[in-house]
């Protein structure tokens, strides 16, 4: 069995890049590990395969603080981003308008919205673009992490959005 695995490894390495070699070596070692921990003589061997385990407590009544001014992602997103519609605008610029609604009743709400630009590595920008009124704002297209907070009461929304280029992006959010 080991000779077969070794032969397969040698044959696969002849026309591979260094990253391919590493991936193949990891796969072969995983396969060899599975083969060596199999069943022999009706008795099962020890297994190094990870298994799923429940956490001791799956439910919690603690909450994560929501700070709209901090450029951090929430561990659990709040509220919901209903839709992002695109409308043509006469200037042909990328713009955004946020329509906020209460998640439970569907009533329109006024909110403050922060847009944190997301770079290619997934990092959030230090300086957000802020919108304090439900007006249209000029913005660059791309991926943003949105954080919104209602002006009346403690209702929030957070999540990732992608804004299209050259149109007015109308973002409907539900504050929770």
């Amino acid at each position: 069995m080991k000779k077969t695995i070794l032969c397969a490894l040698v044959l696969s390495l002849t026309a591979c890049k260094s990253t391919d070699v590493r991936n193949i070596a990891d796969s072969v070692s995983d396969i060899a590990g599975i083969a060596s921990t199999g069943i022999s003589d009706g008795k099962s061997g020890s297994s190094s395969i990870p298994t799923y385990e429940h956490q001791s407590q799956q439910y919690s009544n603690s909450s994560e603080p929501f700070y709209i001014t901090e450029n951090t992602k929430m561990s659990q997103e709040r509220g919901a981003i209903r839709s992002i519609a695109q409308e043509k605008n006469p200037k042909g610029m990328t713009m955004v308008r946020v329509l906020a609604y209460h998640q439970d009743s569907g009533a329109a709400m006024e909110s403050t919205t922060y847009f944190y630009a997301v770079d290619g590595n997934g990092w959030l920008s230090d300086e957000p673009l802020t919108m304090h009124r439900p007006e249209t704002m000029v913005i660059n297209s791309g991926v943003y992490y949105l954080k919104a907070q209602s002006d009346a009461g403690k209702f929030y929304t957070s999540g990732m959005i992608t804004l299209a280029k050259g149109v007015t992006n109308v973002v409907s959010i539900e504050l929770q």
Side-chain angles (χ1 to χ4, degrees):
M1 176 75 172
K2 291 182 181 178
K3 288 182 182 181
T4 307
I5 294 172
L6 183 61
C7 289
L9 177 65
V10 170
L11 290 173
S12 62
L13 293 178
T14 57
C16 296
K17 299 177 187 172
S18 63
T19 56
D20 294 336
V21 172
R22 188 176 313 120
N23 292 339
I24 292 169
D26 290 343
S27 299
V28 170
S29 66
D30 290 344
I31 292 168
I34 292 169
S36 67
T37 60
I39 298 174
S40 61
D41 299 332
K43 299 177 184 174
S44 61
S46 64
S47 176
S48 63
I49 300 171
T51 59
Y52 176 77
E53 294 179 17
H54 290 290
Q55 295 177 354
S56 60
Q57 180 181 354
Q58 291 185 347
Y59 303 100
S60 173
N61 57 4
S62 65
S63 63
E64 178 182 16
F66 188 96
Y67 299 111
I68 194 170
T69 56
E70 288 185 6
N71 65 339
T72 56
K73 292 182 181 177
M74 306 299 293
S75 62
Q76 289 188 344
E77 302 302 348
R78 306 279 173 91
I81 298 174
R82 271 201 227 165
S83 66
I84 303 174
Q86 285 88 26
E87 297 176 348
K88 289 185 179 181
N89 62 47
K91 296 179 182 178
M93 297 182 72
T94 303
M95 302 174 100
V96 66
R97 181 173 62 239
V98 177
L99 305 175
Y101 302 95
H102 184 256
Q103 189 172 31
D104 189 40
S105 66
M109 298 182 82
E110 290 188 17
S111 66
T112 300
T113 307
Y114 278 50
F115 293 92
Y116 293 94
V118 180
D119 69 10
N121 295 323
W123 294 97
L124 302 182
S125 66
D126 290 333
E127 295 296 322
L129 296 166
T130 61
M131 180 182 288
H132 298 282
R133 290 184 283 306
E135 296 176 351
T136 305
M137 174 176 78
V138 176
I139 192 170
N140 289 326
S141 61
V143 179
Y144 289 88
Y145 187 74
L146 177 142
K147 280 186 165 181
Q149 177 177 334
S150 70
D151 293 345
K154 295 192 175 195
F155 298 101
Y156 308 102
T157 298
S158 62
M160 300 292 289
I161 61 168
T162 302
L163 301 178
K165 180 167 85 170
V167 295
T168 300
N169 296 274
V170 181
V171 181
S172 296
I173 61 172
E174 292 180 354
L175 296 160
Q176 174 186 12

